[in-house]
Amino acid sequence: MIKNFLFAATFFQIIITSAFAQTSFNTVKTGHTVSFSVPEYMSRTTGINDASFLQFKSLPKDVYTFMVEDSKVELDIVEMKFTSVMDFYEYFIKDFLISEKKRKVSAPVSSTKDGVNYVQSELTYFDKEAKSDIYYNVTIAETEGYFYQILSFTSEENSINVKADLTALGSSLKEVNCP
């Protein structure tokens, strides 16, 4: 008798729970996806820069790239409002590697491609540890909701071999927003 009662109670509990668990759910997609054209000799990696969301390297070619994204909404929350990609670039470049010896920054070049605004420049400095000059391709990209810092570096001597690739990589951002 007790077994029958426990079985019936359990059976009714399952039926009642099932009746309330039939709520339908909608799938919500959030976030965004970005893509870049990366030279085939570079591979995805980690450990170059802790703030970056994408990192690539080529040990044989001695070239490295990392990308940092800044949401405009999050920048607004901390009261950092930029009026343009050039405004963001100027804010970034004024302090980037500022304490390094023999730091030189080329004039920035602005462009727009596929709805993305870009500012690119080149920066060189003398690295005490490497005991050589380091070359950076600095790109700031602006989309509707984000600023991206795309930073590629190698030795200045090697920059001749990869400069065109790094410039193309920097200006290849595509952002695909989820519906």
Side-chain angles (χ1 to χ4, degrees):
M1 175 85 171
I2 292 179
K3 284 184 179 181
N4 287 341
F5 175 74
L6 288 175
F7 176 76
T10 303
F11 178 74
F12 285 120
Q13 178 70 26
I14 291 171
I15 290 175
I16 291 170
T17 303
S18 296
F20 289 111
Q22 297 302 315
T23 304
S24 60
F25 288 83
N26 294 323
T27 300
V28 178
K29 296 180 181 179
T30 63
H32 67 284
T33 303
V34 294
S35 66
F36 292 88
S37 295
V38 179
E40 64 182 23
Y41 56 79
M42 296 184 83
S43 59
R44 190 120 184 236
T45 191
T46 61
I48 297 172
N49 181 286
D50 292 339
S52 64
F53 73 100
L54 281 175
Q55 302 173 48
F56 299 91
K57 71 178 177 183
S58 171
L59 292 177
K61 292 212 178 233
D62 187 33
V63 63
Y64 307 86
T65 296
F66 64 94
M67 303 167 197
V68 177
E69 67 179 1
D70 289 299
S71 162
K72 289 181 179 180
V73 170
E74 291 175 7
L75 289 171
D76 282 347
I77 290 170
V78 294
E79 299 179 7
M80 295 179 74
K81 190 152 188 91
F82 299 97
T83 58
S84 67
V85 67
M86 185 60 79
D87 190 24
F88 188 94
Y89 167 82
E90 289 171 352
Y91 175 81
F92 170 78
I93 204 70
K94 73 177 169 62
D95 292 326
F96 183 61
L97 299 171
I98 193 69
S99 63
E100 298 297 336
K101 290 185 178 187
K102 295 179 13 183
R103 177 183 180 265
K104 296 176 191 167
V105 181
S106 71
V109 176
S110 298
S111 64
T112 300
K113 181 179 172 187
D114 298 327
V116 179
N117 299 315
Y118 295 97
V119 173
Q120 286 188 313
S121 69
E122 298 173 331
L123 181 145
T124 58
Y125 72 95
F126 181 77
D127 187 282
K128 291 177 257 182
E129 289 180 27
K131 296 180 182 163
S132 67
D133 290 321
I134 303 297
Y135 166 87
Y136 265 88
N137 179 290
V138 176
T139 303
I140 304 297
E142 178 189 23
T143 64
E144 187 176 326
Y146 289 83
F147 289 104
Y148 297 90
Q149 301 161 45
I150 306 157
L151 305 163
S152 300
F153 62 96
T154 188
S155 67
E156 186 174 32
E157 181 180 305
N158 188 44
S159 69
I160 297 165
N161 301 321
V162 296
K163 190 180 288 192
D165 291 346
L166 300 182
T167 300
L169 183 159
S171 61
S172 69
L173 175 107
K174 292 182 184 170
E175 187 177 64
V176 181
N177 291 316
C178 293

